[in-house]
Amino acid sequence: MVDAQQDVKKMRPVYRNIGLAQLVKYRLPWAGKVSILHRISGAALFLLLPFILYLFDQSLASELSYQKFQAFTGNILVKIICLGLIWSFLHHFCAGIRYLLLDLEIGVEKSEANRSAIIVLLLGLALTAVVGLKLFGFY
């Protein structure tokens, strides 16, 4: 009976707490990276919601407030913050669609999940680049 208990203990997986120093070296799969970025982008969108609503209000209130809005958003720091918000929204949207497909059991195999995670990362960055070029006046 003692041997059976020892065999069970040997077969159990070992879960280790990962410290901040070990986190840099930890190899997270692409799906894990997308999951963490999905949470970060959702938190950023939630926390910056008052800023987003302020910008929306300033753009619609009156002609004078729209001119103030244009002057405020002309600042390079505000444009960089807006670019971060644009990435947050686009990544959160693309990853959300991925999770809806996973809930429907589409793409749940390891290789398919890995491929869809990479596609979400690249698509979010590509869409952000397109909108960012428009934001900074390149077209």
Side-chain angles (χ1 to χ4, degrees):
M1 183 158 164
V2 175
D3 290 332
Q5 288 177 346
Q6 288 176 349
D7 288 339
V8 169
K9 284 184 180 181
K10 287 180 185 177
M11 291 178 5
R12 289 184 184 165
V14 177
Y15 297 102
R16 294 185 176 97
N17 291 331
I18 299 173
L20 288 177
Q22 297 167 324
L23 192 59
V24 176
K25 295 183 256 179
Y26 191 74
R27 290 189 55 209
L28 197 60
W30 287 108
K33 292 174 187 176
V34 167
S35 176
I36 289 172
L37 289 173
H38 183 72
R39 290 171 186 250
I40 291 170
S41 64
L45 288 170
F46 176 75
L47 292 174
L48 291 173
L49 188 61
F51 177 70
I52 296 167
L53 291 175
Y54 168 75
L55 289 179
F56 185 63
D57 178 56
Q58 290 299 307
S59 70
L60 294 178
S62 68
E63 191 173 329
L64 181 62
S65 69
Y66 181 71
Q67 291 171 352
K68 281 197 240 176
F69 166 77
Q70 283 184 319
F72 180 69
T73 55
N75 186 342
I76 189 73
L77 182 61
V78 175
K79 284 186 178 184
I80 291 172
I81 291 170
C82 288
L83 187 64
L85 283 169
I86 289 166
W87 171 83
S88 293
F89 173 75
L90 292 171
H91 175 79
H92 200 76
F93 180 77
C94 293
I97 291 173
R98 177 181 179 266
Y99 291 128
L100 287 174
L101 292 173
L102 288 174
D103 286 344
L104 295 172
E105 297 183 10
I106 298 171
V108 293
E109 297 297 322
K110 188 174 182 179
S111 62
E112 293 172 347
N114 188 38
R115 185 174 45 244
S116 68
I118 293 170
I119 289 171
V120 163
L121 283 172
L122 294 177
L123 187 62
L125 289 173
L127 291 172
T128 302
V130 169
V131 177
L133 289 173
K134 178 68 175 170
L135 177 68
F136 286 95
F138 286 101
Y139 68 90

